[in-house]
Amino acid sequence: MAAALRIGVIGGSIAGCAVAVAGSRAGADVTVYERSDAELQDRGFGIVIPPPLHAELVGSGYLDAAMPTAPVGTRIWLTREPGGRSARELARQSSPVTPCNWGHLWRSLRASAGAVRYLRGQPVVSVGRGGSGGAVITSARGDEPYDVVVGADGHASATRRLLAPGSRPEPAPYLVWRGAIPLGAPAGRPRELELLREAWVTLGFPGGHGVFYLIPGGPQDGDGSGGESNRLLAYAVYGRPPEGAEPGPYVHELAKEHFPAAWADIVARGGRRAAACHPVADVQTPRVARPPLLLAGDAAGVTRPHTATGAVKALQDALCLERVLREEPGRSAALERYADERTAAGAHLVELGRRMGRALVEETPDWPTMGQVEVDTWFRGVLAGTRHYLYAETREAAEPGRLERPPPGAAVPR
Ligand SMILES: Cc1cc2nc3c(=O)[nH]c(=O)nc-3n(C[C@H](O)[C@H](O)[C@H](O)COP(=O)(O)OP(=O)(O)OC[C@H]3O[C@@H](n4cnc5c(N)ncnc54)[C@H](O)[C@@H]3O)c2cc1C
């Protein structure tokens, strides 16, 4: 009987754990090196994934069916009433999504990867060439040989630099503020919470937009169950602070100036967990595997977050890895096929993320002049024939009766 393929994984976050599950399901002997000594938690606040991917991951044993999610089926586009402080609803689209809490997602993948060696507090110092076309991982444990080394070491991946020394993240000319707040914080805003129980909301303003959605509370919140009674309100706001403004707190000014009062209030009440401020950048490795090295998740490529696909891509990378390891006769053939499939998928998302960023932040439309038809037509142009799970419905023509929607420009009481 042939010896099991030895896979060393650098990074034990979403991509690292998903790849570990993939490798062990395909019969490999997997070791994960994670730099951080602590239990990973609360890294990414809310993570939205497509419902069919969630179902596939549950069906194939990557995720526990009991992992809490907060699915909704509709997307609502809002803007501020010109000259007022109330919200105006522009459009509704069918947009089924499965919001998760980063902490539960990671824990579920970690549990599914139970049988693999997961080494916490073990930074990889270097990766070198090994015998028989393999590689050697060097850490405080010494040199350990592997047949395949997976770089799942995130957006600043050192493994990416080995495969593509010239690849550099390209900054976008704007920032994102991200937060997740307990539902008690906006308790005085029952209408907005009611809306969010059935839909996720995009709020357009001149020079950017915000997205708002409910996610299950994390393992540290309330009873830790993430159930119906334990939700967080997650948001991400994209915009550009003016020259000289301190970036972090600027989101509050921005919300005060441009958001309907109720939504500005939600951002203002954020409290301790809101809001992390991040630069936005993207990068794609020209080819995401060259035996014996392979990249997964953000290490392989980072797309602007408008596509909501960084973790999605990491999970799809893992599913692809399992499939090619099972189907291809040898390590090299498997990695080359992975590279063919996943490089193309990543490049497509980077390009789509840029188009979305231009439309939703850099060159925003005159939101108050838009209604259902205008939003649909505009975004169909942005997608330019591409299918994307957040835009399940940018219809050729409105389909009356499919969704109950207000006439263009109808005001939503605040
Ligand atoms: C505002 C925003 C919203 C987002 N929303 C979504 C969304 O809705 N849906 C979605 O799919 N994605 C979303 N994403 C993207 C998603 O959060 C990331 O793409 C994903 O979490 C990346 O996971 P990863 O495992 O590749 O990287 P990371 O989580 O960065 O993990 C890398 C790991 O590698 C470890 N590491 C690094 N170097 C070493 C070393 N030398 N040795 C050992 N370990 C090492 C690190 O400690 C870390 O644990 C969003 C991102 C942002 C910024």
Side-chain angles (χ1 to χ4, degrees):
M1 203 172 92
L5 193 73
R6 292 163 307 171
I7 300 181
V9 182
I10 308 171
S13 178
I14 300 292
C17 285
V19 159
V21 181
S24 59
R25 285 172 54 87
D29 178 11
V30 183
T31 304
V32 178
Y33 297 76
E34 170 50 51
R35 176 173 63 189
S36 171
D37 200 12
E39 178 94 337
L40 303 186
Q41 56 200 352
D42 285 349
R43 286 265 179 107
F45 301 116
I47 292 289
V48 174
I49 65 175
L53 176 65
H54 176 251
E56 182 180 1
L57 292 164
V58 169
S60 54
Y62 282 69
L63 292 181
D64 185 345
M67 182 188 84
T69 61
V72 290
T74 303
R75 177 182 199 164
I76 298 180
W77 296 78
L78 300 178
T79 197
R80 198 178 79 178
E81 188 69 45
R85 294 301 323 263
S86 59
R88 174 191 287 189
E89 180 168 330
L90 305 177
R92 282 183 185 222
Q93 293 166 337
S94 165
S95 177
V97 293
T98 303
C100 315
N101 183 296
W102 190 96
H104 288 297
L105 184 62
W106 178 78
R107 282 192 178 199
S108 190
L109 289 167
R110 174 75 189 90
S112 303
V116 310
R117 259 183 311 284
Y118 186 97
L119 309 172
R120 280 211 303 218
Q122 209 54 249
V124 168
V125 178
S126 67
V127 179
R129 294 272 164 199
S132 313
V136 171
I137 286 183
T138 303
S139 70
R141 293 160 53 90
D143 292 348
E144 290 168 298
Y146 293 97
D147 302 307
V148 173
V149 167
V150 177
D153 44 351
H155 65 98
S157 169
T159 323
R160 186 195 305 132
R161 289 199 289 277
L162 293 177
L163 265 178
S167 274
R168 296 265 178 282
E170 268 193 48
Y174 52 87
L175 304 175
V176 57
W177 292 265
R178 230 182 161 188
I181 62 179
L183 284 199
R189 300 294 178 191
R191 264 181 210 286
E192 286 64 38
L193 293 185
E194 233 168 77
L195 210 59
L196 289 168
R197 288 195 197 280
E198 64 174 74
W200 64 284
V201 163
T202 302
L203 174 63
F205 61 87
H209 73 289
V211 291
F212 296 81
Y213 51 103
L214 298 188
I215 60 170
Q220 325 298 320
D221 299 305
D223 60 5
S225 70
E228 278 286 343
S229 59
N230 183 5
R231 295 277 191 255
L232 300 177
L233 198 170
Y235 66 85
V237 176
Y238 298 85
R240 194 192 320 219
E243 199 82 15
E246 201 188 325
Y250 176 70
V251 69
H252 297 288
E253 266 175 68
L254 186 156
K256 218 156 114 191
E257 186 178 348
H258 292 301
F259 286 16
W263 298 90
D265 192 44
I266 287 172
V267 174
R269 288 182 189 220
R272 126 194 111 79
R273 301 186 57 165
C277 173
H278 311 266
V280 176
D282 57 28
V283 62
Q284 176 58 37
T285 313
R287 190 157 175 82
V288 297
R290 195 174 347 108
L293 302 181
L294 179 147
L295 302 174
D298 280 6
V302 180
T303 177
R304 296 192 192 179
H306 315 293
T307 59
T309 52
V312 168
K313 187 167 69 69
L315 296 163
Q316 290 168 335
D317 288 346
L319 289 169
C320 177
L321 180 62
E322 180 185 340
R323 181 164 41 80
V324 297
L325 288 175
R326 285 182 189 278
E327 290 176 4
E328 294 296 333
R331 168 190 66 180
S332 292
L335 266 59
E336 294 298 353
R337 195 167 137 206
Y338 175 93
D340 290 343
E341 291 186 24
R342 300 313 296 160
T343 305
H348 162 73
L349 288 173
V350 166
E351 200 266 328
L352 182 60
R354 287 180 186 177
R355 266 190 280 144
M356 288 184 178
R358 260 196 304 279
L360 286 160
V361 190
E362 294 171 61
E363 298 163 13
T364 44
D366 187 6
W367 301 100
T369 63
M370 298 174 92
Q372 184 72 48
V373 172
E374 289 78 10
V375 171
D376 285 345
T377 308
W378 166 65
F379 227 85
R380 217 167 29 245
V382 176
L383 292 173
T386 306
R387 286 192 159 282
H388 190 275
Y389 80 97
L390 298 180
Y391 301 90
E393 183 193 37
T394 41
R395 300 169 297 279
E396 283 306 319
E399 294 168 34
R402 177 118 180 238
L403 281 169
E404 199 186 311
R405 68 175 72 87
V412 178
R414 65 178 170 117

